[in-house]
Amino acid sequence: MLIEDYDIEFGTPDCQHPSCDELFAKVAVKADITELLPYVNAVIRKGEFTTDVPVLVWVHGGHKYALRPHEVAVSSLDGREKGLEEVRRTIEWLNDIWDRRDELTPDHSAREKPRILDVYKLLPRTNCKECGLPSCMGFAGELVAGNKSLEDCAPLLEEMNDEARRKLLEMGL
Ligand code: SF4
């Protein structure tokens, strides 16, 4: 088993909007899981894989996942109890992939990043600055660069923007 010792820390996105009530979990992993990343990438069929950092990011079932050498992160968790379940399920799934690595072909390739203009078109486009950036176009650029997350745009979390948010998640954002 690769991931045995770990500590889970829950947090909330850095925003004051009432819609920002979802949790994210950061799991500090004692073992170095760098070698696991290409095997996970093979199973999920190309996430956002930056091999020089390294970090592997993908979206599944409404959650965004990120793997780094000593960290597993899961976002959009619906409360602590369900979040804990999701984290444990994810760790179990990652350990299973590691145990089956001899049957898998590691994949070091990456899915192409979405275009900033395509991301911008799905944002509320009000330039309200709640995300801390002067415009939605600026936010789109930071999203694609991985410096901001969808939760940082409070208006995007409103129900009327569910469809746009779903499409952005499918882009791997
Ligand atoms: S919070 Fe959202 S809507 Fe407001 S400026 Fe930032 S990206 Fe645009």
Side-chain angles (χ1 to χ4, degrees):
M1 193 186 292
L2 180 64
I3 305 173
E4 278 185 290
D5 288 342
Y6 57 87
D7 292 310
I8 306 171
E9 192 182 311
F10 287 101
T12 49
D14 188 18
C15 101
Q16 303 302 315
H17 194 274
S19 305
C20 295
D21 57 357
E22 291 180 342
L23 293 176
F24 63 79
K26 281 191 179 178
V27 183
V29 180
K30 195 169 178 189
D32 185 343
I33 60 170
T34 304
E35 279 187 55
L36 171 67
L37 272 56
Y39 291 103
V40 175
N41 198 30
V43 172
I44 60 175
R45 295 169 197 267
K46 295 196 196 312
E48 195 76 47
F49 197 8
T50 312
T51 49
D52 50 344
V53 176
V55 59
L56 175 64
V57 179
W58 74 99
V59 172
H60 180 74
H63 301 293
K64 185 173 177 178
Y65 301 83
L67 299 184
R68 296 181 177 83
H70 288 280
E71 185 183 280
V72 177
V74 188
S75 73
S76 303
L77 297 167
D78 184 15
R80 240 184 151 74
E81 202 174 319
K82 285 188 186 167
L84 209 51
E85 258 174 52
E86 180 56 30
V87 167
R88 287 187 178 139
R89 190 203 61 75
T90 303
I91 300 288
E92 206 173 299
W93 176 73
L94 292 171
N95 276 327
D96 179 62
I97 290 176
W98 181 250
D99 290 346
R100 295 190 293 113
R101 64 191 181 283
D102 288 346
E103 305 160 18
L104 300 166
T105 305
D107 183 354
H108 293 84
S109 60
R111 189 159 37 86
E112 275 183 33
K113 281 190 177 184
R115 294 187 325 144
I116 292 175
L117 190 58
D118 292 337
V119 173
Y120 167 73
K121 285 177 183 168
L122 291 167
L123 294 175
R125 286 182 281 163
T126 58
N127 297 329
C128 70
K129 303 182 179 62
E130 278 193 56
C131 57
L133 288 157
S135 67
C136 295
M137 186 61 93
F139 184 76
E142 291 296 300
L143 263 184
V144 172
N147 298 328
K148 287 278 182 187
S149 63
L150 298 182
E151 289 80 8
D152 293 319
C153 169
L156 192 60
L157 304 180
E158 290 171 6
E159 204 175 333
M160 60 186 282
N161 290 317
D162 275 359
E163 179 67 11
R165 190 166 171 233
R166 187 186 59 74
K167 286 183 180 169
L168 288 163
L169 278 168
E170 283 173 4
M171 287 178 169
L173 296 168

